[in-house]
Amino acid sequence: MPELPEVETTRRGIQPWVEGQQVESIVVRQPKLRWPIPEQLSLSLPGQRVQSVTRRAKYLLFQTDAGVMLVHLGMSGSLCIVPKETEATKHAHVDIGFSNGMMLRYTDPRRFGAVLWQADSNTHPLLDGLGPEPLDEGFSSEYFLSSCRMRKLPIKQLLMNNAVVVGIGNIYASEALFRAGIDPRRAANRIAEKRLEVLRQAVISVLSEAIEQGGTTLKDFIGGDGKPGYFQQQLKVYGRVGETCFRCGTSIRSIQLGQRSTYFCVGCQR
DNA sequence: CTAAGGACCTGTCGGC
DNA sequence: TGCCGACAGGTCCTTA
């Protein structure tokens, strides 16, 4: 479900309910996520005040005096705010109760997500080695150009590599490439500098617009505030196999690239 | 170092 | 209606 815009939408939805609140309780019903939920989380979190809710890549970071709780939504995870004592639903694996009478609930049917705890002030190992945020200055033209140099893998796979730049998942990779008019199969090192700059701008604009519109709702994504995302209506190629390109009328194609479905228009993308 | 493929899970949908 | 395979928004880890 979640790429960067969905995670950011979730962050903005829950932040006002969680920031500054004291944790009163934590219930872990299913600790078996991508990694086991550490016991230390349940021991350390109660009594702590959440100082801030921030995001790094697709991780949400809940800062407290005792440490940081990291939450990754994986493929099917979501966070929502519900009144305390709300009945547990099927895949509600974690509930965190706050002093304001509300509860932060982590739900994740496929359990590819993670809820972790980092006690000391070091950054968590999972955050090491991540590339720059696509909407920060670190994702500069110079940086992107040098990242593509010498790389012969398809540009779409490079875009989705978190060591290069974080947050771009399967939907927005296809969308950004369509916007830039670049064939997703094209080797990264065989794209002119000028076109790479167009692509960099496309990544930035697609993600920014998606965040503004509350993310893309496919299947069941709901923002932390309970509202659906509206970016789905803006999708130009993702999920549109066989439909006609809005720009040139060619039928949208779907191929497999690195085991992931990839959507593009042969008429518009070279 | 780069790149490719498997692994981890449940739910849903289309076809027969 | 029921069963079965294909597929789904992520990313770490192993292998070449």
Side-chain angles (χ1 to χ4, degrees):
Chain A
M1 162 202 8
E3 299 185 34
L4 189 148
E6 289 72 40
V7 177
E8 179 60 22
T9 297
T10 298
R11 190 191 70 76
R12 293 181 184 185
I14 64 175
Q15 181 180 34
W17 299 92
V18 169
E19 228 171 63
Q21 297 299 320
Q22 182 121 5
V23 176
E24 289 189 339
S25 61
I26 173 166
V27 175
V28 177
R29 299 187 190 82
Q30 169 58 280
K32 293 178 185 173
L33 303 184
R34 168 126 203 212
W35 295 280
I37 296 177
E39 304 251 341
Q40 201 58 46
L41 175 71
S42 303
L43 298 173
S44 303
L45 200 56
Q48 291 297 313
R49 200 182 76 96
V50 177
Q51 292 156 356
S52 61
V53 182
T54 55
R55 179 187 59 73
R56 171 69 175 117
K58 293 171 189 163
Y59 292 91
L60 289 170
L61 309 177
F62 298 76
Q63 192 74 234
T64 75
D65 276 335
V68 185
M69 177 173 73
L70 293 84
V71 175
H72 195 290
L73 302 177
M75 207 78 137
S76 57
S78 60
L79 286 172
C80 61
I81 300 289
V82 293
K84 267 184 180 170
E85 319 302 333
T86 302
E87 271 190 51
T89 43
K90 184 139 183 223
H91 299 288
H93 305 317
V94 182
D95 280 341
I96 296 171
F98 293 100
S99 44
N100 61 358
M102 302 303 272
M103 198 158 68
L104 179 68
R105 169 166 288 175
Y106 175 83
T107 303
D108 186 2
R110 290 178 75 181
R111 290 190 272 125
F112 286 172
V115 178
L116 298 166
W117 177 252
Q118 175 72 16
D120 48 54
S121 55
N122 297 328
T123 67
H124 194 278
L126 285 169
L127 303 184
D128 291 343
L130 289 176
E133 290 287 327
L135 301 181
D136 283 359
E137 290 176 0
F139 186 53
S140 63
S141 354
E142 203 173 76
Y143 169 83
F144 187 47
L145 251 48
S146 69
S147 301
C148 292
R149 210 143 27 216
M150 312 303 289
R151 309 292 298 276
K152 63 174 191 180
L153 91 165
I155 185 65
K156 185 197 176 224
Q157 288 175 255
L158 183 133
L159 280 182
M160 292 177 66
N161 181 346
N162 284 326
V164 173
V165 57
V166 301
I168 306 170
N170 207 33
I171 297 177
Y172 298 110
S174 282
E175 292 299 314
L177 284 161
F178 173 79
R179 194 172 282 205
I182 296 172
D183 188 314
R185 299 166 293 187
R186 183 169 283 274
N189 63 354
R190 294 183 57 192
I191 302 173
E193 292 194 357
K194 211 169 176 179
R195 304 186 71 209
L196 284 176
E197 176 57 15
V198 172
L199 176 57
R200 191 183 71 91
Q201 300 283 355
V203 164
I204 293 169
S205 63
V206 165
L207 293 177
S208 308
E209 289 167 29
I211 290 172
E212 274 171 36
Q213 301 188 37
T216 297
T217 297
L218 288 180
K219 306 243 161 74
D220 54 0
F221 173 75
I222 305 271
D225 57 357
K227 292 179 190 147
Y230 292 98
F231 195 75
Q232 185 174 14
Q233 295 149 19
Q234 310 298 324
L235 298 180
K236 303 290 193 257
V237 287
Y238 185 86
R240 298 194 61 241
V241 210
E243 296 175 43
T244 56
C245 173
F246 294 128
R247 187 169 160 272
C248 76
T250 303
S251 181
I252 301 295
R253 278 188 56 194
S254 166
I255 57 169
Q256 290 295 119
L257 222 44
Q259 332 267 71
R260 310 298 299 275
S261 292
T262 302
Y263 302 87
F264 69 111
C265 170
V266 285
C268 296
Q269 298 175 254
R270 299 283 156 179

